[in-house]
Amino acid sequence: MPIRLGKAGKATAFNELGRRRDDEGDQDGALEAYAQASAVHPYWAAPWYNAGLIHKYRGEWAASLQANARAVQCEPDNQGALWNLGIAATALGDWATARRAWRQYGIGIPDGEGPIDFFVGLTPIRVHGDEASEVVWADRIDPARAILRSVPTPACGHRWGDLVLHDGAANGYRMRGDREVPVFDALELIAPSEHGTYEVTIEGVAQEDIDALIRRFEAADASAENWTTSMQVLCRACSEGRPHGEGHNHEPGEPPGARGPWRLGIAAREEGAALRILAEWRETAAPGCVLGELRCLLMGVPRT
């Protein structure tokens, strides 16, 4: 005899079908299956949450908000749905919904009507470009937004000062001092920085001279980073895991000599401003300093 499934059994079967289709890369088919599960059992949170997850990674924010809101209605303490509801609301600028989601999650978000002002701290964010992904340090200004504070390489398509929307699920870990902190993946560029990315090579000076140059840029509403010493290329397993933990080591490459050469990434609004800072610093540098040509790698985006 055929086995007859009740409503709960049918909904579970459709939900599992959606998960299999999603694993196979058929997101449209997965969404169809989740919709069938919800039609059979509209008060079950799981298919709503699963649909919202697909919409999140597609950047379909209105659909993600709707699906996660339904999941929260079905299960008010569903932590994953609450977090993704907050992300979707943040992407849409629906600050009232974002505040309700974060508070229901358990975060003490302040009152207000506009963008949320809730500084979280310095956090590693993985940004993605057409050519490469890169983990950079950023200031989290609320649970789902961060401003990049490293000078990224142009391969990742991002700039110092970019405002990005990011996920809330840890995808790797890094050390900040003696404390381990999670890496979050950027989901979307919210507002590009006005600062372009430049590169210059310098030889004939010591590390402390380069540090002094970096401080000059930081004092002038700009930034600079010694890419020679700050960057390390990791395999995917280490990047999305714990590169500071036990496992295989990644050789840092040939170290620079005591007087370089140094490769600097620079963030500045205008090329002229970067050239002025370099020229002023050059006057105080060692006589043997060799300053390479300043190259623009990625233009900033003027605000309109």
Side-chain angles (χ1 to χ4, degrees):
M1 291 181 63
I3 298 175
R4 297 186 180 277
L5 297 176
K7 284 187 176 182
K10 287 181 180 179
T12 299
F14 280 128
N15 189 62
E16 288 306 310
L17 175 62
R19 291 167 63 90
R20 289 198 302 273
R21 287 176 173 174
D22 192 19
D23 288 342
E24 294 166 358
D26 181 9
Q27 292 184 334
D28 289 337
L31 288 172
E32 181 181 349
Y34 293 143
Q36 289 173 305
S38 296
V40 173
H41 195 342
Y43 301 107
W44 185 28
W48 291 113
Y49 169 78
N50 289 334
L53 199 63
I54 289 177
H55 290 304
K56 178 182 74 170
Y57 288 123
R58 284 180 164 188
E60 298 167 349
W61 300 116
S64 182
L65 186 146
Q66 183 180 33
N68 282 294
R70 288 289 288 121
V72 170
Q73 285 181 335
C74 299
E75 188 181 337
D77 61 348
N78 187 313
Q79 298 287 279
L82 283 168
W83 198 277
N84 288 339
L85 177 61
I87 291 174
T90 299
L92 294 168
D94 183 351
W95 302 113
T97 299
R99 280 185 168 83
R100 286 196 300 271
W102 301 134
R103 287 171 181 156
Q104 196 167 337
Y105 186 88
I107 301 172
I109 297 296
D111 293 332
E113 296 183 355
I116 295 170
D117 182 10
F118 187 76
F119 183 72
V120 179
L122 196 63
T123 301
I125 301 290
R126 182 179 290 102
V127 291
H128 309 276
D130 294 335
E131 299 179 33
S133 296
E134 186 172 332
V135 175
V136 298
W137 289 91
D139 284 331
R140 286 179 76 192
I141 61 174
D142 71 23
R145 293 183 301 155
I147 301 173
L148 305 189
R149 293 307 185 198
S150 297
V151 181
T153 63
C156 73
H158 283 271
R159 309 161 184 82
W160 179 90
D162 276 356
L163 175 63
V164 299
L165 182 76
H166 65 80
D167 209 351
N171 190 15
Y173 296 87
R174 297 293 186 273
M175 296 300 296
R176 183 184 174 196
D178 58 357
R179 184 166 63 94
E180 185 179 70
V181 292
V183 177
F184 299 115
D185 284 326
L187 296 170
E188 186 172 279
L189 174 64
I190 298 175
S193 174
E194 295 180 274
H195 290 71
T197 304
Y198 300 84
E199 179 185 34
V200 68
T201 56
I202 302 174
E203 296 185 59
V205 295
Q207 175 76 62
E208 54 264 32
D209 297 305
I210 297 298
D211 293 341
L213 174 57
I214 291 172
R215 289 193 294 271
R216 283 178 179 262
F217 276 100
E218 291 173 345
D221 187 32
S223 186
E225 185 174 325
N226 189 348
W227 284 345
T228 307
T229 58
S230 68
M231 290 195 301
Q232 185 180 18
V233 178
L234 301 176
C235 68
R236 181 172 180 176
C238 286
S239 180
E240 296 180 359
R242 289 177 167 85
H244 49 277
E246 294 182 2
H248 64 281
N249 294 319
H250 289 270
E251 294 298 329
E254 187 68 25
R259 305 185 73 79
W262 311 102
R263 181 186 176 214
L264 265 67
I266 294 170
R269 293 178 189 272
E270 299 174 352
E271 181 177 334
L275 288 170
R276 283 193 298 272
I277 294 171
L278 287 168
E280 291 169 0
W281 169 83
R282 176 66 182 82
E283 293 178 358
T284 66
C289 175
V290 178
L291 189 62
E293 179 183 359
L294 182 70
R295 297 192 304 124
C296 181
L297 304 180
L298 190 64
M299 293 291 293
V301 180
R303 293 179 185 173
T304 56

